[in-house]
Every structure is written in C-alpha cells, then in structure tokens.
Amino acid sequence: MNICNRLLQLRFVPKIINHTLKRKVSEHQALKRIEKLRSMALPLTRQNPVIMKLDSPEFKSIFTEELLSLVSVFKKYGYELRVAGGAVRDLLMGKKPKDLDFATTATPDQMKEMFTTENIRMINTKGEKHGTITPRINDKENFEVTTLRIDVLTDGRHAEVQFTTDWLLDANRRDLTINSMFLGLDGSVYDYFYGYDDLQKRRIAFVGDAVTRIQEDYLRILRYFRFYGRISEGPNLHEQSTITAIKNNVHGLERISGERIWVELKQILEGNFAGDIMLSILDTGAAPYIGIPSIPNINELKTVWQRSKNKKLQAVTLLSTLLKTTEEVLALHLRLKLSAYDRDLALFVVEHREPKPNAKPLLPYQQLMVKCKAKTSDVHEWIVEVLKYNNSPHLEEFQNWSLPKFPVSGNMLKQKGVEGGRFMGLVMNELKNIWAENDFNLSAEELLKQVPHILSILEERRKTKK
Ligand SMILES: Nc1ccn([C@@H]2O[C@H](COP(=O)(O)OP(=O)(O)OP(=O)(O)O)[C@@H](O)[C@H]2O)c(=O)n1
Ligand SMILES: [Mg+2]
C-alpha cells in the first residue's frame, strides 16, 4: 500500500468521547475534604512560607504598565494577587517566564464585579468554571487570574473545584513542589512545600503523595518527565518511590487525549537527556497507552541516541526509532494526532532510514527530492533528519546542497506538441525522474529528446486503462 492510500485510512480516526463528571459534591462533603487535605498537608509544609524577597532584573522585567494597573485594582478592592506556579519557578532560576499565571483570593464573581465597575473588559469566558477570569488591560495585555481552589472530585482529567482563600491548599493541589510556589508582587516568595530547596537540589518531586497527585491528572506522569529533563542534573536520578507511583498508575494515560500527550512528549524528546528519559518512560510500561507498539525497538532508540544525541534530532525522528513499520507510524498518529508534517516525517524516516549503498552516497537522497511528492523544502528537512539519524558524514554536504533548477519549461514542451494541463504534468514528472536518474546532469536539449519516447509510453498506458 502506498503512502497516499495509508493516509486515506486516517479519516477513520475514532473520536475520543469526553466523559464529564456527573456527581455533584455537597458543601458538607467539600468542607470535610478541605479539613482532611489541610491535616494531611500541614506536616509537610514550612512554618513560615515566605522564604525570600526577589529583586532580580527578571522579576523587575515583568512589570509592564498594564500589570501595574492590574495590581492596583486588586489592592483597591482588598484582594490578594500573586504570580503562581511555573513563572515563579522560572524567575527563581533566573529566567524570564514565557507567560504569567496569577492566583487570587477573589472569587470569579468578585473579580467580574470589580472589573465591570472599573470598566475593564474581560475576554475568554470559558475558564470561569475553574475559576479563571481574563481581564484585558489598556486593550493591550491579557492576564489569566485564577481563584485559589481545591479539586474536590477528579476523574484523572477533569476536576470539580471548590474556591478557597487558603494559599496553602491551592499549593497543595499543584503537581510538583517546584511548581507549587507563589510570588507576591512585592517580591515575596511563598513556598509551602520546599519547592525552592528542591529547585536548588535539582530534584523533581510531586507535592505530598505522588499517587494522589497522579490520579488527579494522569498527564502529570509526562509532566514529571518533562520537568525532569528541564531541571535534573543527570539522566538517571529518578527517585524510586516516584517511579513506583508512576508504574502503578501508568494505565491512566489511556484516558488522556493524544494531543495533550504529544504536547508533553514532544518537549521531552527535544529536551535534555531525551533518549534516556524515553527509555525510563518505556520502563514504566507507558508504551501501549501513548501509541507506541507494545514491543518497541528499544535497541534502535539506544543506538541512534548514542550516535546522534548531539545532532538535535526533531522529536518525531527520535520517536521513530521505536517504530519498525509504517503501520506502526500510523498507529502512533491515530493516538497522538500528529501534525501532517510530523506524520509524514515519521513515515519518511521509517521508509528511508536504511542507507542505500551507492558510489555517490548522497545521490539516492538527492533523487528523493524529485521523486517524493511532497513540498521540496519539507523533503530537504526530512533527508537532513535521516542523515542525522544515521550520523552520516555527508550531512553537511547535503545541507549545503540545493536542488538544481530543472532545465525544461512548459513552453518548451508545448513547442514539442505536448498538450497542456494534467497530461503535461505527467510528461514533466517522467522527465524529472530521468533527469534525477542521470545525476541532474542532462541539458534541456538532451531531455527533450526523450519526449517522443515518453509520449508513446503514456499513450500505451492510456490505451491499456481503457
Ligand atoms: N496538570 C497540571 C498542570 C498544571 N499544574 C499547575 O499549574 C501551573 C501552570 O501550568 P502550566 O502553564 O501548564 O505549566 P508551567 O509549570 O507553567 O510550565 P511551562 O513553563 O511549560 O508553562 C503549574 O506550574 C502547576 O502549578 C498542575 O498542578 N497540574
Ligand atoms: Mg505556564
């Protein structure tokens, strides 16, 4: 079956059905849960959560005129506002965060009332159920502000939430200690679960009980590995208790949408220790839940990772090492919903990774630039990936090579009596193949000599079709 037919099969992608929570939680149940959470969390927390005052250039750089207006509105109405989660982690590492999430003691209704009174427009009302309001200040900057909350009921993907004014409880529902800190706009860093200590130790750990955190959202398994790659100092410094918690719950990834899985996996595969982390992920038994065959080609992953780790392979290229056939690529695509580019790159790698012996080693690849019916610039990138995959000594030569200009034009063919349209396209393709087979060395004159022969072959084909 050729690639086109295989791609047609992709139309029959089964829809993943969203199960939403049916049960509702009573106020009494919610209060009981809060009490339980607090008593479980307290022994793990710091006595005094304010650990330092940040004054770094990165911290100062977040203060736009718009953020200053947002801060003054919250102050005016007496609600607390702090930066939360990932941005605090990044600032403590001396990095400017790519986006800021805010947490507040104001409920969504209180925020709506406040912003309406202050004539501040709110956009994107979808997040309100989970406590997120997005004011747009000066028609310029959006801020996502989320009410402190606990997850009362979770099904591993969605949560029913209860708002709170207790910062500790909000920190307690977050995934990793390093992601559980808050930053007041005066620079105070609030760290309940020793996230700063872990950041300094380069330690990735779930907040409190790993099993509970994972069961609240199974995607956190992959988030763990993503932050491991970003923060850890070595490829194999996982804590056994964390890995055991992941292994015992890895089946939960089955319920997570392919798109969310791919967002995480892609970053893992493009980050530090990618090959080693992928091996650790496979070791947890995750493969069948994330679209990878149950017997993946682990040896190929190890070999390619060893020889090409400094080549910065694209995520999909490294993932393709685990796949033996194009059918396995399509199964992966069905699960992860890759982009068309990534899907075709994986198909290309699996079909062309075996080097073809040739006196001119690059020639078979150069010929693919003509023979492969995809955008030429994409095919060029895919060949680069295959050469990196094989750690080919000809990589640089190919990167500096570009397809010569095809010497025959449509007008020349017209003058030879070839009718326009689709038929001319067919003749042109045949000529391009002959040109590629001859090392791209034939002149227009030499190629045009082939036209009568091509016409008779095409005519013959037309007759046999009838
Ligand atoms: N499954 C998840 C996703 C997010 N969070 C919390 O929400 C914050 C923001 O989430 P997100 O923006 O997805 O991740 P970041 O940690 O900010 O990482 P990145 O820098 O990649 O955005 C996280 O820091 C974490 O506190 C969580 O607890 N569990
Ligand atoms: Mg973020």
Side-chain angles (χ1 to χ4, degrees):
M1 206 193 312
N2 68 24
I3 289 190
C4 293
N5 285 342
R6 268 189 250 116
L7 295 184
L8 269 180
Q9 292 179 334
L10 304 176
R11 289 194 189 165
F12 306 104
V13 177
K15 273 225 169 80
I16 292 178
I17 297 158
N18 268 340
H19 298 280
T20 42
L21 287 169
K22 298 257 160 44
R23 279 186 292 159
K24 284 272 175 237
V25 181
S26 72
E27 197 144 318
H28 175 68
Q29 278 173 309
L31 283 173
K32 264 180 79 178
R33 170 129 171 99
I34 288 175
E35 258 172 50
K36 190 173 161 209
L37 281 177
R38 222 173 192 285
S39 64
M40 277 166 58
L42 267 180
L44 302 170
T45 59
R46 261 184 223 280
Q47 283 287 317
N48 180 4
V50 182
I51 54 159
M52 67 164 93
K53 267 242 153 114
L54 208 57
D55 192 29
S56 62
E58 294 82 22
F59 172 56
K60 286 181 185 148
S61 77
I62 69 172
F63 287 95
T64 56
E65 201 181 302
E66 287 68 35
L67 177 56
L68 290 170
S69 334
L70 184 81
V71 173
S72 70
V73 173
F74 276 82
K75 212 176 224 163
K76 180 170 164 193
Y77 286 78
Y79 301 120
E80 286 179 275
L81 178 73
R82 294 178 192 166
V83 179
V88 187
R89 176 200 65 226
D90 290 347
L91 285 168
L92 287 171
M93 292 181 77
K95 284 190 203 150
K96 191 176 159 90
K98 57 180 186 324
D99 54 16
L100 297 173
D101 295 313
F102 292 87
T104 181
T105 49
T107 64
D109 284 342
Q110 288 168 330
M111 280 196 269
K112 278 195 287 187
E113 206 182 316
M114 171 173 84
F115 291 131
T116 309
T117 316
E118 295 294 321
N119 272 326
I120 293 171
R121 191 155 73 89
M122 287 161 276
I123 59 159
N124 187 13
T125 47
K126 272 193 294 192
E128 200 182 314
K129 210 171 72 195
H130 291 103
T132 305
I133 299 287
T134 310
R136 179 169 177 78
I137 309 242
N138 294 346
D139 234 348
K140 198 169 165 195
E141 202 174 346
N142 303 334
F143 296 95
E144 288 199 356
V145 191
T146 305
T147 306
L148 300 184
R149 62 172 219 224
I150 57 164
D151 300 333
V152 191
L153 243 191
T154 53
D155 68 350
R157 289 185 305 178
H158 308 101
E160 192 171 306
V161 306
Q162 170 88 25
F163 300 129
T164 172
T165 51
D166 187 337
W167 291 92
L168 183 151
L169 287 180
D170 190 87
N172 184 53
R173 63 136 183 118
R174 292 176 183 269
D175 56 357
L176 304 168
T177 58
I178 56 164
N179 290 343
S180 71
M181 293 177 274
F182 302 106
L183 172 64
L185 280 311
D186 64 348
S188 305
V189 177
Y190 298 79
D191 177 19
Y192 294 91
F193 293 97
Y194 298 91
Y196 184 62
D197 307 60
D198 284 347
L199 203 52
Q200 282 185 310
K201 283 189 253 170
R202 309 261 157 189
R203 169 178 184 251
I204 313 301
F206 286 98
V207 173
D209 178 42
V211 171
T212 309
R213 295 287 91 81
I214 293 169
Q215 289 179 351
E216 283 163 354
D217 178 1
Y218 289 97
L219 187 72
R220 287 175 170 173
I221 292 176
L222 294 178
R223 282 177 60 89
Y224 164 81
F225 286 110
R226 170 156 73 91
F227 288 107
Y228 182 90
R230 221 198 271 184
I231 308 280
S232 184
E233 278 181 323
N236 279 307
L237 300 170
H238 303 279
E239 285 175 23
Q240 196 46 52
S241 58
T242 303
I243 294 296
T244 305
I246 291 176
K247 272 188 181 159
N248 291 339
N249 288 281
V250 76
H251 58 274
L253 280 171
E254 192 169 26
R255 309 201 234 153
I256 303 293
S257 79
E259 289 90 340
R260 290 180 78 206
I261 289 180
W262 181 229
V263 166
E264 295 298 326
L265 209 51
K266 197 174 164 91
Q267 294 178 74
I268 293 169
L269 291 163
E270 284 168 358
N272 300 328
F273 317 124
D276 306 280
I277 297 179
M278 197 61 223
L279 288 170
S280 301
I281 293 176
L282 294 174
D283 199 44
T284 66
Y289 309 113
I290 57 175
I292 297 173
S294 41
I295 307 179
N297 196 350
I298 287 184
N299 282 338
E300 181 79 350
L301 170 61
K302 286 183 181 164
T303 310
V304 173
W305 176 241
Q306 268 318 313
R307 72 179 174 214
S308 305
K309 67 167 107 178
N310 58 358
K311 292 280 185 285
K312 294 220 167 304
L313 293 173
Q314 291 191 34
V316 137
T317 310
L318 192 55
L319 200 54
S320 303
T321 57
L322 297 168
L323 311 175
K324 294 190 205 77
T325 62
T326 49
E327 279 67 32
E328 290 182 349
V329 174
L330 294 179
L332 180 85
H333 172 63
L334 271 172
R335 176 70 180 105
L336 298 187
K337 318 274 161 39
L338 305 173
S339 66
Y341 176 94
D342 280 340
R343 175 198 63 204
D344 295 346
L345 168 56
L347 287 168
F348 190 89
V349 169
V350 168
E351 285 190 1
H352 299 292
R353 62 186 155 192
E354 210 54 61
K356 292 178 189 65
N358 194 301
K360 293 180 179 171
L362 279 185
L363 191 59
Y365 298 106
Q366 291 164 331
Q367 289 171 343
L368 280 175
M369 294 274 293
V370 172
K371 289 179 182 165
C372 188
K373 301 286 164 261
K375 219 166 97 188
T376 322
S377 57
D378 286 354
V379 181
H380 194 276
E381 285 170 20
W382 298 342
I383 294 170
V384 165
E385 287 299 296
V386 168
L387 295 173
K388 285 182 178 175
Y389 185 109
N390 288 319
N391 199 15
S392 161
H394 306 289
L395 172 64
E396 214 180 302
E397 192 187 334
F398 183 77
Q399 280 173 318
N400 294 327
W401 178 86
S402 56
L403 188 64
K405 193 174 173 318
F406 183 56
V408 176
S409 68
N411 258 343
M412 294 176 189
L413 286 185
K414 248 188 209 157
Q415 279 170 14
K416 281 269 169 191
V418 178
E419 63 190 80
R422 211 178 89 80
F423 188 70
M424 185 179 282
L426 291 176
V427 177
M428 208 54 122
N429 274 342
E430 292 296 330
L431 281 177
K432 279 186 180 169
N433 285 339
I434 295 171
W435 178 59
E437 289 297 341
N438 287 278
D439 228 353
F440 310 100
N441 269 334
L442 300 182
S443 65
E445 217 172 38
E446 287 165 317
L447 282 165
L448 288 170
K449 275 190 202 146
Q450 303 290 329
V451 170
H453 180 59
I454 293 174
L455 287 179
S456 65
I457 293 175
L458 289 176
E459 191 50 39
E460 208 45 48
R461 268 192 220 156
R462 193 143 63 170
K463 272 188 203 150
T464 48
K465 259 195 188 162
K466 274 181 189 165

mmCIF file of all heavy atoms in Angstrom, residues 86-87 89 98-99 101, ligand 2:
data_model
loop_
_atom_site.group_PDB
_atom_site.id
_atom_site.type_symbol
_atom_site.label_atom_id
_atom_site.label_comp_id
_atom_site.label_asym_id
_atom_site.label_seq_id
_atom_site.Cartn_x
_atom_site.Cartn_y
_atom_site.Cartn_z
ATOM 1 N N GLY A 86 4.512 27.921 37.453
ATOM 2 C CA GLY A 86 5.684 27.848 36.578
ATOM 3 C C GLY A 86 6.485 29.132 36.471
ATOM 4 O O GLY A 86 7.722 29.093 36.410
ATOM 5 N N ALA A 87 5.803 30.274 36.477
ATOM 6 C CA ALA A 87 6.524 31.540 36.315
ATOM 7 C C ALA A 87 7.420 31.793 37.526
ATOM 8 O O ALA A 87 8.527 32.335 37.385
ATOM 9 C CB ALA A 87 5.529 32.685 36.143
ATOM 10 N N ARG A 89 8.816 29.478 39.393
ATOM 11 C CA ARG A 89 9.940 28.545 39.196
ATOM 12 C C ARG A 89 10.967 29.158 38.242
ATOM 13 O O ARG A 89 12.160 29.200 38.538
ATOM 14 C CB ARG A 89 9.368 27.235 38.620
ATOM 15 C CG ARG A 89 10.381 26.174 38.269
ATOM 16 C CD ARG A 89 9.762 25.179 37.286
ATOM 17 N NE ARG A 89 9.450 25.810 36.014
ATOM 18 C CZ ARG A 89 8.302 25.657 35.342
ATOM 19 N NH1 ARG A 89 7.341 24.883 35.797
ATOM 20 N NH2 ARG A 89 8.112 26.279 34.196
ATOM 21 N N LYS A 98 7.832 32.661 30.166
ATOM 22 C CA LYS A 98 7.194 32.975 28.885
ATOM 23 C C LYS A 98 5.747 33.408 29.064
ATOM 24 O O LYS A 98 5.213 34.133 28.257
ATOM 25 C CB LYS A 98 7.345 31.838 27.870
ATOM 26 C CG LYS A 98 6.817 30.483 28.282
ATOM 27 C CD LYS A 98 7.053 29.503 27.133
ATOM 28 C CE LYS A 98 6.460 28.135 27.290
ATOM 29 N NZ LYS A 98 6.400 27.491 28.571
ATOM 30 N N ASP A 99 5.111 32.961 30.131
ATOM 31 C CA ASP A 99 3.799 33.534 30.459
ATOM 32 C C ASP A 99 3.610 33.559 31.983
ATOM 33 O O ASP A 99 4.275 32.841 32.704
ATOM 34 C CB ASP A 99 2.645 32.798 29.758
ATOM 35 C CG ASP A 99 2.674 31.312 30.032
ATOM 36 O OD1 ASP A 99 3.367 30.912 30.980
ATOM 37 O OD2 ASP A 99 1.996 30.559 29.325
ATOM 38 N N ASP A 101 0.955 33.236 35.174
ATOM 39 C CA ASP A 101 -0.372 32.867 35.686
ATOM 40 C C ASP A 101 -0.507 33.524 37.046
ATOM 41 O O ASP A 101 0.444 33.538 37.824
ATOM 42 C CB ASP A 101 -0.483 31.348 35.863
ATOM 43 C CG ASP A 101 -0.399 30.620 34.546
ATOM 44 O OD1 ASP A 101 -1.087 31.035 33.597
ATOM 45 O OD2 ASP A 101 0.376 29.646 34.444
HETATM 46 MG MG MG B 2 2.930 28.191 32.325
#
